[in-house]
Amino acid sequence: QVQLVESGGGSVQAGGSLRLSCAGSGRIFSNYDMGWFRQAPGTEREFVSAITWNAGKTYYADSVKGRFTISRDNTKNTVYLQMNSLSPADTAVYYCAAVSLYSRSSRYTADAYVYWGQGTQVTVSS
């Protein structure tokens, strides 16, 4: 079992920045690739970004490429999402999730991930 707790959400004006954190506990954090997803009201949960267990590869949705940066610190059991140039379209609940590094499932799909945090709200005003 892996427990994930997100933090760092909040309200910001368009053009601003936020840094989300996701702290993991339980099993060995470095055994997992990590992902960030988001869900706005009335929409499906959508992929935002992912990072492999050793940070060797990162993945981004086209909508956030060049604005968001994912990183991780396995010594702190934490994954981060730096979000810059935020727009109202980025408003959503953001979730972090974990998938075994041995899983062959696509890191772009929510179904691949086994463990999920409770989410943190990000609100961007114009």
Side-chain angles (χ1 to χ4, degrees):
Q1 189 82 0
V2 175
Q3 293 79 41
L4 301 172
V5 178
E6 301 96 337
S7 62
S11 296
V12 65
Q13 288 196 322
S17 299
L18 283 173
R19 187 196 197 201
L20 305 184
S21 299
C22 173
S25 62
R27 297 200 173 177
I28 300 172
F29 190 73
S30 58
N31 283 351
Y32 294 87
D33 292 354
M34 299 297 296
W36 285 97
F37 289 77
R38 65 187 182 186
Q39 189 168 20
T43 69
E44 300 267 323
R45 192 168 296 191
E46 67 169 349
F47 170 80
V48 175
S49 183
I51 188 167
T52 54
W53 66 279
N54 62 351
K57 280 189 179 181
T58 57
Y59 308 85
Y60 295 96
D62 288 343
S63 59
V64 307
K65 210 170 286 184
R67 300 187 299 122
F68 290 12
T69 303
I70 192 170
S71 61
R72 67 188 295 163
D73 185 344
N74 287 342
T75 66
K76 296 181 179 179
N77 289 355
T78 302
V79 63
Y80 305 97
L81 186 68
Q82 177 67 44
M83 306 186 295
N84 298 329
S85 301
L86 286 162
S87 75
D90 296 314
T91 295
V93 177
Y94 283 71
Y95 299 89
C96 71
V99 56
S100 168
L101 69 94
Y102 302 110
S103 170
R104 293 177 174 269
S105 300
S106 168
R107 299 306 188 245
Y108 292 94
T109 59
D111 287 346
Y113 293 80
V114 178
Y115 303 108
W116 291 83
Q118 82 290 348
T120 186
Q121 176 71 46
V122 171
T123 303
V124 185
S125 58
S126 57

